[in-house]
Amino acid sequence: MNAFDVVGIGNAIVDVISSADDSFLDLMGIEKGIMQLVERQRGEMLYAAMKDRVQAPGGSVANTLAGLGNLGLRTGFIGRVHDDALGRFYARSMEEDGTAFVNPPVAGGDLPTSRSMIFVSPDGERSMNTYLGISSELGPDDVADDVAGAARILFLEGYLYDKPSGKEAFERAARLCRGAGGKAGIALSDPFCVDRHRDSFRHLVRDLDYVIGNRHEWESLYQTDLSSALEQAAADSGLVVCTRSGEDVILVQGDETARVPVRRVVPVDATGAGDQFAAGFLYGYATGQSLETAGRMGCAAAAEVIGHFGARPETDLKALFRREQLI
Ligand SMILES: OC[C@H]1O[C@H](O)[C@H](O)[C@@H]1O
């Protein structure tokens, strides 16, 4: 029996969250609604400018694992934090959220634990400014055989391709998992990330077992409109999932297509919507649900997280799924 139902690998990031209106974003030169990588100095400047900031564990794939841990699956996260206050907070929080943080915080070195300064606008949009710190050093040595090789399902973060060592870690993890008979898939992360790594990601769609992305990411990947992009993706990949903020989610596996309706609501904070969609979907995938049920689980988990600040669920997702008659 595998030690883990789902193992994820990605950037281990502490989120620092505060509210800000559009004029503040303009003043600070922050592009609304995307994730921008920032240098340490700019990160410190933005941190200092945040009013009533709240600190929470984040990181895209790690957020998904927290959702899966909440749902009772056996989960592990491969990430890299420094042995500083933020890093110890992060490792402890992952464990408290039900996910094994398999690599201990790293002592020594200059780079601190990663943090993302996230500004939430009154319309619920989030603008993320991430200083990668020690996470930029995540590499193949962080990927243990008895973690990636012991996963039934592996979930990989597209953002890792931004650093050569992250890419090597990603590829080693996928090799170990699939070599031991597990399934590996990727979250495309964001359209700019797709733009930076288009050729590599096109290969991954062909090589991996499932791919999750939103409409902008799929359009960027194939540089065409959504329906042509999904047609190509379905021909390339075993299982394709496309979220479309506020519109039906589309899931395609071989000849089967499911469309899952989404209730349109104004988010309190959109941070983590895609991550929790992935958690609900992967719970369905791991427990052998139909495409449609897995998609509905994704939508339910995403709807929960956008109803409050922060990128991780605050309620019992299994109870939520029961109420929605999904389990
Ligand atoms: O997807 C949301 C996450 O992306 C960024 O990596 C932040 O850490 C945030 O928690």
Side-chain angles (χ1 to χ4, degrees), residues 95-110:
E95 297 275 348
E96 283 167 7
D97 284 343
T99 293
F101 188 74
V102 296
N103 296 328
V106 179
D110 290 337

Side-chain angles (χ1 to χ4, degrees), residues 41-121:
Q41 220 183 345
R42 176 158 170 83
E44 282 167 3
M45 186 275 284
L46 292 174
Y47 180 86
M50 295 178 103
K51 279 207 205 92
D52 302 323
R53 51 187 179 235
V54 176
Q55 175 181 300
S60 181
V61 158
N63 292 334
T64 299
L65 292 166
L68 289 166
N70 174 306
L71 282 158
L73 294 194
R74 295 162 307 148
T75 51
F77 179 59
I78 301 167
R80 193 172 170 90
V81 295
H82 190 230
D83 189 10
D84 52 19
L86 281 190
R88 289 189 292 274
F89 162 77
Y90 191 87
R92 203 171 51 243
S93 308
M94 287 302 297
E95 297 275 348
E96 283 167 7
D97 284 343
T99 293
F101 188 74
V102 296
N103 296 328
V106 179
D110 290 337
L111 293 175
T113 295
S114 316
R115 74 264 342 244
S116 185
M117 274 53 71
I118 302 181
F119 297 91
V120 181
S121 304

